[in-house]
């Protein structure tokens, strides 16, 4: 993740107020929420556009009308006044009328004072849109009409009240920083535009290709983590700022400053990926609200004090890094910290410009480390050293709790380093990969790198026998050239990588704006997509340089359709998106987020790669859906979106309500790519939660997990039985053992139950529990073994 520094300077310009004009018959509405402060301060906060801004905002009964107004005290800057976020509500080229009542009473302040209503359009763009000269002790009235310039970006739009700018207002606070009261704030004009659709209407990941990993959303800085046989990929949520123009289909350039979510996907075959949605990491409603951004994540799962946890590290902008903790790789998430993990006070980081891109690594002996850093080299270095050996990366030991650090950070002397330090281990060697810089004044001016050193935006690597020793002599070469060498015009820029081992092979992750290119052609806007290639090694331990391809990696295993699986498990897509739902996840449990496939229109499709129906084949397919209109059809096809039809699902049921629909299949044998094509009238057709195929001639199944264990209680063995119901309806469970029987009646959807059978024996031999599951007329017998156990 490269840092874009955006300076914000408060506007000092004046605006000429105009009289309200007669509005046309075009529709208009009130865009300010709680403008009279009768609901307290709901919708309001103090302007925070600059780090120096600050004030206190409180409700007062000294109101122009009604019972309440807002009083601003303790102002630190002239712009420190009440503000409301109007992002997404304004339209460029449209005209608005702004009104506000303002009063100040400070007897030490001048007899009159000018006040402004000001729009902040993001960055350093401030525009005064109305003003009034108020008389001390009297209510003044801002009443002005303004037009947002046709070319003005309005992705960010915030209205606030202020006094005229001056560089040192604290020199005379009575003149510049007086307290004031505001009431009856109003902004009337064109109604908010419909939110831009983020749905990718093209096939962004072409059938047969395995890169990019997703065709329906973006994701950058991918970090691969393997846990319990599944690969999890954590990514910067590039989709968060994607807002294509409804006419041109082109989005504004990506704005990293708006990103405060992490996207999570997972797979067991590296081609079909489950979309787990986004984690709201930072921002006021985030897991760690004391951070503003969440870029370049890294994750590791570790047992701490007997409890397995997942630790998700991320960059809080360029200045610091942090960590949140999950009960599983999918959460739920919480913050064990109240301040950032890596920041300017971290020992050994004094010369690091960007304390970001945190990548965890746990050694075989359990010792945890965190690698991070990047950005401009220290100006105290000679120009050649700043360019070739900027010494801007660091590593540091983590404490056993993985949420605090130990000691001082050590230097990583990576040649031509920019960012994205990441360490992995193979055999007895440690490998550190990183992204290289592009030169320029931050690195001593434009120069030519030393022979063998990386060029701009490449991924270099180092090899060491010690995870804390990374001097320039450990440099081993370029492991991945700039991605534009493989994907052409519009796909260059910096990169960010990780390496993970899965089932005996190593894999290299990286990003490139390939989906963005498929949508808009060569003029991409910086929205990046995750990719994976296999990583191989020479006999001497050096890496074989990775070649980026659309083909990607081979599928690890065929897809098993004979189970309930999430509809947001996607190999390829066209025209759909995904969204959070309150429904419990049938596949991953009730404690983690669940998504559905949505924005499904006529002609859209989703697909799975290499579905193994087997020799017997599939007799039927069942979908859990919510129809949004009548006469919707799903066709199950083999090979392509126009391939042979294996079956047609007629989506009947009440519009707007969840239901299960089933269709018989013909010819669903062997292994095929499977496409679900959707047909119906114009508009959104349905939402899809899960799929399940039933094997021809196969026994009925229920998604219920039954496990056994044994423990000692007062010197006697106790056999425990745990039952987890993964169905979306209750299940009755009967368990028969040599030590008694138990019936669990109507175990609820997503619920678990535990029952203990007292054996009254010091030791018990291995045996079996006979279990009968029943629900909705389906009966499934199970035999669950248990091991011998002794308390002697």
């Amino acid at each position: 993740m490269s840092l874009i520094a955006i300076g914000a300077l408060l506007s000092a310009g004046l605006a000429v107020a105009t009289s309200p004009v007669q509005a046309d018959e075009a529709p208009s509405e009130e865009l300010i929420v709680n403008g009279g402060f009768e609901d307290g301060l709901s919708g309001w906060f103090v302007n925070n556009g600059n780090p120096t801004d600050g004030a206190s905002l409180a409700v007062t009964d000294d109101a122009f009308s009604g019972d309440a107004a807002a009083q601003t005290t303790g102002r630190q800057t002239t712009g420190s006044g009440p503000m409301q976020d109007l992002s997404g509500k304004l339209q460029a080229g449209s005209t608005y009328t702004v009104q506000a009542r303002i009063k100040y009473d400070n007897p030490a302040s001048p007899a009159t004072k000018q006040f402004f209503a000001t729009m902040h359009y993001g960055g350093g763009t401030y525009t005064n849109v109305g003003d009034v000269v108020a008389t001390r002790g009297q209510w003044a009235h801002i009443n002005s009409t303004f037009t947002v310039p046709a070319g003005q970006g309005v992705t960010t739009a915030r209205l606030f009240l202020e006094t005229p700018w001056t560089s040192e207002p604290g020199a005379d606070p009575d003149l510049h920083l007086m307290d004031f009261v505001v009431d009856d704030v109003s902004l009337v004009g064109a109604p908010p535009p419909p939110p831009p659709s983020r749905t990718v209407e093209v096939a962004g990941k072409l059938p047969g290709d395995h890169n990019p990993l997703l065709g329906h959303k973006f994701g950058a800085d991918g970090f691969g983590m393997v846990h319990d046989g599944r690969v999890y990929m954590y990514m910067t949520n590039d989709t968060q700022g994607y807002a294509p123009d409804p006419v041109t289909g082109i989005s504004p350039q990506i704005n990293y400053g708006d990103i405060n979510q992490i996207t999570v996907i997972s797979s067991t075959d590296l081609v079909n990926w489950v979309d787990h949605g986004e984690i709201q990491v930072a921002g006021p409603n985030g897991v760690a609200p004391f951070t503003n951004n969440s870029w370049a994540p890294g994750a590791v799962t570790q047992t701490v004090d007997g409890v397995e946890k997942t630790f998700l590290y991320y960059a809080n902008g360029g200045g610091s890094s942090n960590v949140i903790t999950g009960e599983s790789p999918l959460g739920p998430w919480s913050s064990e910290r109240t301040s950032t993990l890596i920041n300017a006070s971290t020992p050994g980081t004094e010369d690091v410009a960007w304390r970001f891109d945190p990548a965890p690594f746990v050694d075989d002996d359990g010792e945890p480390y965190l690698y991070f850093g990047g950005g401009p080299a220290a100006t105290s270095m000679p120009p050649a050293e700043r360019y070739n050996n900027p010494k801007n990366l660091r590593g540091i030991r983590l404490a056993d709790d993985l949420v605090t650090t130990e000691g001082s950070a050590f230097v990583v002397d990576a040649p031509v380093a920019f960012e994205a330090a990441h360490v992995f281990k193979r055999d007895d060697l440690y490998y550190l990969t990183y992204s290289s810089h592009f030169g320029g004044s931050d690195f001593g001016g434009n120069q030519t790198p030393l022979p063998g050193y990386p060029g701009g935006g490449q991924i270099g690597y180092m090899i060491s026998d010690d995870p804390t020793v990374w001097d320039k002599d450990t440099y081993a070469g370029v492991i991945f050239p700039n991605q534009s060498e493989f994907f052409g015009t519009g796909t260059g820029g910096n990169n960010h990588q990780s390496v993970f081992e899965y089932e005996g092979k190593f894999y290299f992750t990286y990003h490139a704006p390939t989906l963005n290119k498929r949508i808009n052609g060569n003029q991409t806007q910086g929205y990046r997509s995750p990719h994976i290639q296999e990583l191989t090694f020479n006999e001497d331990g050096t890496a074989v340089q990775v070649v980026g391809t659309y083909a990607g990696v081979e599928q690890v295993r065929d897809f098993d359709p004979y189970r309930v699986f999430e509809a947001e498990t996607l190999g390829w897509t066209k025209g759909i998106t995904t969204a959070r739902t309150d429904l419990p996840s049938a596949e991953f449990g009730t404690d983690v987020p669940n998504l559905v496939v949505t924005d499904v229109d006529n002609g859209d499709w989703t697909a799975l790669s290499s579905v193994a129906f087997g020799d017997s084949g599939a007799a039927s397919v069942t979908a859990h859906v919510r129809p949004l209109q009548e006469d919707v059809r799903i066709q199950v096809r083999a090979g392509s979106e126009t391939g042979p039809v294996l079956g047609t699902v007629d989506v009947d049921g009440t519009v707007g309500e969840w239901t299960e629909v089933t269709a018989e299949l013909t010819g669903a044998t062997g292994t095929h790519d499977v496409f679900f094509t959707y047909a119906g009238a114009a508009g959104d057709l349905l939402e899809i939660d899960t799929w399940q195929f039933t094997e021809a001639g196969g026994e009925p199944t229920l998604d219920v997990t039954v496990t056994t264990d044994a423990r000692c209680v007062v010197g006697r063995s106790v056999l425990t039985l745990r039952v987890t119901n993964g169905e979306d309806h209750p299940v009755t469970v009967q368990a028969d053992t040599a030590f008694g029987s138990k019936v669990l009646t109507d175990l609820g959807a997503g619920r678990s139950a535990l029952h203990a059978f007292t054996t009254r024996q010091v030791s018990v031999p291995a045996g079996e529990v006979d279990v009968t599951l029943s629900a909705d007329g389906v009966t499934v017998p199970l035999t669950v073994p248990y091991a011998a156990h002794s308390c002697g």
Side-chain angles (χ1 to χ4, degrees):
M1 166 65 70
S2 64
L3 177 69
I4 294 181
I6 303 175
L9 181 64
L10 194 62
S11 171
L14 302 180
V16 177
T18 60
S19 300
V21 297
Q22 181 65 39
D24 296 332
E25 294 302 318
S28 62
E29 62 181 70
E30 176 62 69
L31 303 179
I32 292 291
V33 175
N34 186 32
F37 302 95
E38 301 303 317
D39 292 329
L41 297 177
S42 176
W44 293 94
F45 55 97
V46 175
N47 176 22
N48 56 7
N50 289 295
T52 54
D53 290 332
S56 295
L57 200 61
V59 175
T60 175
D61 59 7
D62 181 14
F64 177 80
S65 66
D67 298 323
Q71 184 175 40
T72 305
T73 59
R75 301 165 63 219
Q76 301 300 306
T77 65
T78 57
S80 299
M83 169 177 273
Q84 185 158 135
D85 190 349
L86 299 173
S87 300
K89 293 186 176 183
L90 302 190
Q91 300 187 50
S94 293
T95 299
Y96 301 88
T97 297
V98 59
Q99 297 190 60
R101 301 285 179 170
I102 296 177
K103 185 178 71 167
Y104 71 102
D105 293 315
N106 184 356
S109 293
T112 61
K113 185 67 178 180
Q114 188 177 31
F115 286 83
F116 290 113
T118 302
M119 292 296 307
H120 181 201
Y121 294 112
T125 306
Y126 292 82
T127 302
N128 303 131
V129 295
D131 78 317
V132 69
V133 175
T135 299
R136 185 178 60 234
Q138 299 180 18
W139 285 100
H141 186 200
I142 291 178
N143 186 3
S144 299
T145 297
F146 68 97
T147 300
V148 180
Q152 176 64 59
V154 292
T155 302
T156 298
R158 310 199 303 175
L159 177 72
F160 66 101
L161 286 305
E162 63 171 338
T163 50
W165 181 86
T166 184
S167 60
E168 297 182 7
D172 191 347
D174 290 328
L175 176 61
H176 302 294
L177 300 176
M178 71 282 288
D179 300 344
F180 64 90
V181 180
V182 174
D183 200 2
D184 292 351
V185 185
S186 170
L187 186 72
V188 175
S197 172
R198 294 178 176 172
T199 302
V200 177
E201 299 294 349
V202 302
K205 177 184 180 183
L206 297 183
D209 285 348
H210 297 165
N211 276 331
L213 305 186
L214 304 173
H216 70 291
K217 63 167 53 174
F218 304 97
D221 311 316
F223 188 100
M225 184 193 78
V226 178
H227 179 70
D228 283 351
R230 177 172 287 271
V231 176
Y232 295 86
M233 184 81 74
Y234 301 89
M235 301 174 291
T236 305
N237 180 23
D238 276 19
T239 310
Q240 189 169 359
Y242 180 65
D245 184 276
V247 176
T248 66
I250 298 176
S251 173
Q253 289 286 322
I254 189 170
N255 182 357
Y256 302 125
D258 290 340
I259 299 176
N260 56 21
Q261 299 173 345
I262 297 295
T263 297
V264 188
I265 61 176
S266 74
S267 178
T268 57
D269 61 31
L270 303 186
V271 176
N272 299 296
W273 291 87
V274 181
D275 182 358
H276 297 289
E278 282 67 47
I279 307 167
Q280 184 63 56
V281 175
N285 300 315
V287 179
F290 53 90
T291 58
N292 296 316
N293 295 115
S294 56
W295 305 340
V300 65
T301 295
Q302 191 80 344
T303 298
V304 176
D305 295 332
V307 179
E308 186 179 81
K309 302 177 181 179
T310 297
F311 299 89
L312 180 58
Y313 302 83
Y314 63 96
N316 176 37
S320 61
S321 294
N322 197 48
V323 58
I324 60 173
T325 306
E327 296 179 22
S328 76
L330 299 176
W333 301 95
S334 61
S335 178
E336 298 182 43
R337 297 187 58 86
T338 57
S339 61
T340 53
L341 172 65
I342 302 291
N343 51 51
S345 65
T346 303
T349 69
E350 292 78 10
D351 294 328
V352 178
W354 299 342
R355 299 172 178 88
F356 73 164
D357 288 5
F361 166 71
V362 178
D363 206 348
D364 297 337
D365 60 2
E367 188 74 30
Y369 300 87
L370 190 70
Y371 298 85
F372 61 94
T379 56
S380 59
M381 296 180 182
E385 185 179 5
R386 293 181 69 195
Y387 189 97
N388 289 290
N389 298 97
K391 299 178 180 63
N392 52 0
L393 303 180
R394 296 289 185 273
I396 196 168
R397 282 184 173 86
L398 292 169
D400 291 341
D401 61 9
L402 274 77
V403 298
T404 53
T405 61
E406 290 185 345
S408 181
F410 49 85
V411 175
V412 175
D413 188 5
V416 198
F418 190 40
E419 56 190 17
H422 174 269
V423 168
F424 68 97
K425 190 175 185 180
R426 177 180 178 268
D427 297 331
D428 294 327
L429 295 177
Y430 301 88
Y431 296 75
L432 186 145
T433 60
Y434 64 95
S435 179
S436 61
H437 68 70
F438 294 86
S441 58
D442 284 342
F443 295 92
N446 293 325
Q447 302 177 45
T448 301
L450 292 174
Y453 277 14
Q458 298 185 340
I459 305 299
Y461 78 109
M462 310 168 81
I463 304 176
S464 177
D465 57 7
D466 187 329
T468 67
V469 177
W470 302 101
D471 56 49
K472 62 184 179 181
D473 293 335
T474 63
Y475 175 70
V478 172
I479 198 171
F480 188 65
N482 189 280
Q483 61 272 23
S484 62
E485 292 190 22
F486 310 114
F487 303 111
T489 304
T491 63
N494 73 304
N495 213 327
H496 193 115
Q497 77 301 327
S498 77
V499 174
F500 64 89
E501 184 180 5
Y502 185 53
E503 300 192 357
K505 293 183 177 181
F506 284 85
Y507 294 93
F508 179 87
T509 76
Y510 61 100
H511 64 228
T514 47
L515 174 58
N516 196 175
K517 183 173 181 175
R518 285 249 164 84
I519 298 170
N520 295 138
N522 291 337
Q523 297 301 314
T524 58
Q525 293 80 48
Y527 296 93
R528 302 156 298 177
S529 293
H531 298 66
I532 294 179
Q533 308 288 162
E534 187 177 346
L535 177 60
T536 59
F537 298 85
N538 299 307
E539 290 186 4
D540 63 358
T542 57
V544 176
Q545 193 172 95
V546 176
V547 175
T549 67
Y550 282 109
V553 300
E554 293 183 0
Q555 189 163 334
V556 172
R557 59 177 52 83
D558 290 337
F559 187 84
D560 174 17
Y562 298 123
R563 58 195 174 91
V564 178
F565 60 92
E566 302 297 337
E568 62 272 17
T569 307
L570 304 167
W572 304 286
T573 60
K574 178 182 179 297
I576 62 89
T577 190
T578 55
R580 290 282 288 269
T581 177
D582 292 333
L583 296 172
S585 171
E587 188 173 359
F588 297 95
T590 59
D591 293 333
V592 300
N594 185 30
L595 277 68
V596 295
V597 172
T598 188
D599 199 3
V600 181
D601 298 309
N602 181 60
D604 290 346
W605 50 261
T606 58
L608 296 166
S609 175
S610 296
V611 178
F613 290 125
D615 294 336
S616 298
S620 64
V621 63
T622 298
H624 188 217
V625 302
R626 187 169 78 97
L628 301 178
Q629 55 177 280
E630 297 180 349
D631 299 325
V632 175
R633 299 176 308 286
I634 306 172
Q635 289 190 316
V636 184
R637 297 175 177 266
S640 74
E641 71 274 22
T642 59
V645 177
L646 305 178
T648 300
V649 182
D650 291 318
V651 181
D652 50 14
T654 303
V655 171
E657 295 185 6
W658 287 98
T659 186
E660 288 193 346
V661 290
T662 301
E664 294 182 355
L665 302 177
T666 302
T669 59
T671 301
H672 303 278
D673 297 337
V674 172
F675 286 72
F676 303 99
T677 61
Y678 308 103
D684 291 349
L685 302 179
L686 78 169
E687 294 179 344
I688 314 159
D689 179 30
T690 61
W691 298 104
Q692 181 179 20
F693 289 86
T694 302
E695 190 172 5
E699 297 295 328
T701 62
L702 289 171
D703 185 14
V704 178
T705 302
V706 184
T707 59
T708 59
D709 197 3
R711 55 191 173 93
C712 296
V713 178
V714 196
R716 296 294 187 266
S717 291
V718 173
L719 177 67
T720 59
L721 187 78
R722 179 178 291 276
V723 183
T724 302
N725 180 15
E727 296 285 344
D728 60 359
H729 47 73
V731 173
T732 295
V733 183
Q734 178 170 332
D736 298 304
T737 75
F739 315 106
S741 299
K742 177 65 177 178
V743 176
L744 303 172
T745 303
D746 291 338
L747 178 64
R751 301 294 298 275
S752 294
L754 181 70
H755 183 74
F757 294 94
T758 302
T759 70
R760 296 184 175 85
Q761 299 176 18
V762 175
S763 301
V764 295
E768 296 176 339
V769 180
D770 294 322
V771 179
T772 302
L773 310 174
S774 56
D776 292 344
V778 175
T779 300
V780 177
L782 297 176
T783 300
V784 184
Y786 57 86
H789 182 256
S790 176
C791 296

